[in-house]
């Protein structure tokens, strides 16, 4: 199969120019002006941007949490991602206590096989670190699972102590892997949660009020300090608080390889959402929680000036019906997470590029190039170049979309941005040379995505 996309404006992290892209099989082979190749299909992209397919390095599909399972599996979740212009995800496989990492990988590989419609990799969540598990880390890195996520929160479930965290960091110094950190002080949060419940404070907003910004900042600082002592890079996931961003900025100013992502929910939603009537605040129960509205400007500045290097989604949807409602009468039982895999590119384009907070190049860098580089997928993913995978989004900068749970494709009964109109959306989406979304219709197939073996730093 050959595909020729003509008359588009090609956007990468560094370039912006009018050009044609020729695709043979799964790869981009030629880029030029007025290409005269014959192709099986020609797409006229006049007036459109050609963007590298989005790379979302933080998703939780088919993930058990708090007695239920995230509502999107690898089929519905990756189809929704494709509609939104994302062609690569890195999801999290979870090692539960007493299990091997290999068992966790097998379990998640089965969840994805035959279902994923776009390419995917895995980070490995480590909850139990032994000598044997450290050896397994080396083996996984060789097999293309080159990043590990550790938790400083959820004591008794996911949390590791500082000694284990330090051990794991040291190990990446020799195997070339990267540690991703959920940075919140879980011990402090647990005490605050117990105290709130004892005082009869059970509404959803107390989820946020028991997870202070300083608990995130403290853990962010500690994570970076541990990585500094281990002399390895570190990547902070879903950074939400201005106080935590200060810790990353301070470290980067000292020249440390500290990296961090934020997510659209922290850029477009705020603590005020928890004050919505009744149990509605449960829609926004996620960790870390939404922060005061003033934080948004700080995060945008962090994105513009490279103290934050990526925008991912932390997509982890739970329906209000029968899932979020587990926590009626006890906010600590509300499943943590919200949908976002489909709306990332449009939200960030509309709220970031259009008002001039970030440039078009920076938009591509934050949503594709930089995460691909940090997680060993570049230049196969994250750019438009000869030899790269033909993952391309024909993006219509003028297309208006009203975000609504009913018309989006995520398998969840609400949307945190319900009713918000965004300008700028994917029109055609190409994944490894195949058109998988064509004018709003999914034309790919479940199982069309492949496991991505990622490289080391
Ligand atoms: Zn997450």
């Amino acid at each position: 199969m050959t595909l020729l996309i003509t008359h588009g404006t090609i956007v990468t992290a560094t370039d912006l120019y009018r050009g044609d892209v020729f695709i043979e099989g799964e790869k981009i082979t030629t880029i030029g002006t007025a290409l005269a190749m014959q192709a099986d299909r020609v797409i006229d992209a006049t007036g459109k941007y050609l963007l590298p397919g989005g790379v979302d390095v933080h998703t939780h599909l088919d993930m058990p949490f708090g007695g239920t399972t995230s509502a999107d599996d690898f089929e519905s979740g990756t189809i929704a991602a494709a509609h939104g212009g994302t062609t690569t995800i890195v999801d999290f496989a979870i090692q539960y206590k007493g299990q091997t990492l290999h068992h966790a990988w097998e379990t998640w590989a089965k969840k994805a096989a035959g279902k994923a419609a776009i390419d995917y990799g895995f980070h490995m969540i480590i909850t139990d670190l032994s000598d044997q598990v450290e050896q397994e880390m080396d083996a996984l890195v060789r097999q293309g699972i080159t990043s590990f996520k550790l938790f400083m929160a959820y004591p008794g479930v996911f949390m590791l102590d500082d000694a284990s965290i330090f051990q794991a960091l040291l190990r990446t110094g020799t195997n070339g892997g990267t540690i991703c950190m959920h940075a919140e002080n879980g011990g402090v949060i647990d005490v605050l949660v117990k105290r709130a419940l004892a005082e009869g404070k059970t509404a959803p907003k107390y989820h946020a009020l028991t997870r202070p910004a300083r608990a995130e900042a403290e853990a962010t600082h500690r994570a970076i300090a541990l990585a500094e002592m281990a002399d390895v890079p570190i990547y902070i996931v879903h950074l939400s608080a201005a106080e935590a961003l200060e810790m990353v900025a301070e470290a980067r100013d000292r020249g440390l390889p500290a990296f961090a992502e934020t997510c659209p929910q922290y850029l477009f939603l705020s603590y005020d959402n928890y004050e919505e009537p009744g149990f509605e605040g449960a829609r926004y129960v996620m960790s870390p929680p939404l922060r005061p509205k003033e934080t948004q400007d700080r995060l945008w500045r962090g994105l513009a000036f490279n103290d934050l290097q990526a925008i991912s989604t932390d997509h982890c949807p739970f329906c209000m019906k029968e899932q979020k409602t587990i926590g009626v009468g006890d906010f600590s039982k509300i499943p943590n997470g919200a949908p976002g895999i489909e709306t990332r590119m449009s939200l960030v384009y509309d709220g970031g590029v259009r008002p001039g907070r970030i440039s078009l190049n920076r938009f591509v860098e934050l949503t594709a190039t930089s995460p691909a580089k940090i997680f060993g997928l570049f230049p196969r993913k994250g750019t438009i170049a000869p030899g790269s995978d033909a993952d391309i989004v024909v993006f219509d900068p003028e297309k208006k979309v009203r975000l609504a749970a009913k018309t989006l494709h995520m398998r969840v009964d609400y949307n945190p941005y319900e009713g918000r109109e965004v300008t700028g959306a994917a029109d055609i989406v190409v994944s490894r040379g195949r058109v998988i979304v064509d004018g709003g219709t999914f034309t790919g197939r479940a199982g069309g995505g492949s496991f991505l073996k990622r490289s080391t730093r």
Side-chain angles (χ1 to χ4, degrees), residues 347-360:
L347 280 169
V348 177
Y349 180 81
D350 178 68
V353 179
R354 283 175 54 85
R357 283 171 160 143
I358 53 171
S359 70
L360 194 52

Side-chain angles (χ1 to χ4, degrees), residues 172-237:
T172 62
T174 56
N175 67 24
T178 299
I179 297 289
C180 306
M181 193 67 78
H182 178 127
E184 284 187 296
N185 186 314
V188 166
I189 288 165
D190 258 24
V191 171
L192 293 176
V193 168
K194 283 194 188 109
R195 193 178 67 178
L197 290 173
E199 289 169 358
K201 296 170 174 166
T202 61
K205 69 175 180 184
Y206 291 103
H207 170 77
L209 296 172
T210 54
R211 304 184 88 92
R214 188 52 58 188
E216 185 185 345
E218 183 280 324
T220 301
H221 173 77
R222 181 159 37 104
I224 294 170
L226 293 169
E228 181 180 5
M229 289 185 276
D231 197 20
V232 295
I234 189 157
Y235 182 89
I236 307 293
V237 298

Side-chain angles (χ1 to χ4, degrees), residues 58 60 92 149 238 314:
H58 193 147
H60 299 282
F92 293 88
K149 184 187 185 187
H238 50 43
D314 196 10

Side-chain angles (χ1 to χ4, degrees), residues 95-429:
Q95 174 218 21
Y96 294 101
K97 287 192 195 310
Q99 290 180 351
T100 64
L101 301 186
H102 194 81
H103 178 79
W105 182 16
E106 266 182 4
T107 306
W108 258 263
K110 269 188 210 141
K111 289 173 189 271
K115 286 194 165 179
I118 58 172
D119 291 348
Y120 59 95
F122 294 117
H123 309 282
M124 180 60 63
I125 291 177
I126 300 177
T127 63
D128 193 355
L129 191 76
S130 61
D131 290 349
Q132 190 222 329
V133 167
E134 282 197 50
Q135 283 166 26
E136 277 199 280
M137 286 173 74
D138 301 349
L140 283 190
V141 167
R142 288 193 296 271
Q143 289 165 297
I145 296 181
T146 54
S147 47
F148 304 90
K149 184 187 185 187
L150 312 179
F151 284 85
M152 303 172 99
Y154 305 111
V157 186
F158 294 131
M159 191 172 101
L160 288 184
D161 61 18
D162 288 352
S164 299
I165 290 169
F166 187 57
Q167 292 263 110
L169 284 161
L170 284 172
R171 197 75 183 195
T172 62
T174 56
N175 67 24
T178 299
I179 297 289
C180 306
M181 193 67 78
H182 178 127
E184 284 187 296
N185 186 314
V188 166
I189 288 165
D190 258 24
V191 171
L192 293 176
V193 168
K194 283 194 188 109
R195 193 178 67 178
L197 290 173
E199 289 169 358
K201 296 170 174 166
T202 61
K205 69 175 180 184
Y206 291 103
H207 170 77
L209 296 172
T210 54
R211 304 184 88 92
R214 188 52 58 188
E216 185 185 345
E218 183 280 324
T220 301
H221 173 77
R222 181 159 37 104
I224 294 170
L226 293 169
E228 181 180 5
M229 289 185 276
D231 197 20
V232 295
I234 189 157
Y235 182 89
I236 307 293
V237 298
H238 50 43
L239 186 143
S240 72
E243 291 86 340
L245 178 58
E246 279 172 18
M247 301 301 165
V248 176
E250 184 267 340
R252 291 180 63 83
D253 288 348
R254 287 198 291 122
L256 295 176
F259 304 95
E261 65 179 19
T262 191
C263 311
Q265 52 270 33
Y266 305 120
L267 298 169
F268 299 107
L269 301 170
S270 74
Y271 172 80
D272 300 346
N273 293 99
Y274 296 115
E275 298 283 357
E276 289 176 16
F279 191 62
E280 295 300 292
R283 297 164 175 239
Y284 315 97
V285 166
M286 60 185 81
S287 298
L290 301 175
R291 302 299 187 185
K293 209 164 181 14
E294 311 82 78
T295 307
Q296 295 171 358
D297 279 340
R298 306 281 292 276
L299 295 177
W300 280 112
R301 237 175 24 231
L303 290 165
F305 293 103
N306 205 33
D307 283 323
L308 296 167
Q309 292 76 37
I311 302 175
S312 62
T313 63
D314 196 10
H315 176 77
C316 191
F318 295 101
C319 289
M320 286 297 280
K321 200 180 162 211
E322 290 171 8
Q323 294 198 295
K324 291 286 190 181
T325 46
I326 295 168
V328 172
D330 180 351
F331 69 88
S332 73
K333 295 205 164 53
I334 301 170
N336 285 203
I341 203 167
E342 185 174 358
T343 46
R344 178 182 67 137
M345 305 284 275
S346 285
L347 280 169
V348 177
Y349 180 81
D350 178 68
V353 179
R354 283 175 54 85
R357 283 171 160 143
I358 53 171
S359 70
L360 194 52
N361 298 115
R362 185 65 180 153
F363 167 66
V364 168
E365 190 165 32
L366 290 165
T367 56
T369 318
S370 165
K373 285 182 177 173
I374 292 169
F375 290 106
L377 290 163
F378 184 84
R380 183 175 170 193
K381 305 293 189 189
T383 195
I384 296 179
S388 292
D389 278 0
D391 292 1
I392 294 177
V393 179
V394 180
F395 190 88
D396 182 349
E398 300 303 329
K399 187 167 162 182
K400 290 190 192 315
V401 179
R402 192 167 294 280
L403 303 179
K406 269 213 168 79
T407 46
L408 290 162
H409 303 83
M410 298 174 283
R411 202 162 64 193
V412 56
D413 61 3
Y414 77 97
N415 190 273
Y417 310 97
E418 189 71 36
R420 186 189 180 104
E421 190 184 80
V422 289
T423 302
D427 193 12
I428 293 176
V429 179

Side-chain angles (χ1 to χ4, degrees), residues 45-120:
T46 302
K48 315 274 169 70
Y49 293 130
L50 303 188
L51 310 176
V55 177
D56 184 352
V57 295
H58 193 147
T59 67
H60 299 282
L61 301 176
D62 200 357
M63 187 191 83
F65 184 94
T68 185
T69 302
S70 62
D72 272 313
D73 65 8
F74 277 80
E75 182 169 341
S76 63
T78 56
I79 290 172
H83 277 286
T86 288
T87 54
T88 299
I89 58 166
V90 185
D91 201 89
F92 293 88
I94 307 176
Q95 174 218 21
Y96 294 101
K97 287 192 195 310
Q99 290 180 351
T100 64
L101 301 186
H102 194 81
H103 178 79
W105 182 16
E106 266 182 4
T107 306
W108 258 263
K110 269 188 210 141
K111 289 173 189 271
K115 286 194 165 179
I118 58 172
D119 291 348
Y120 59 95

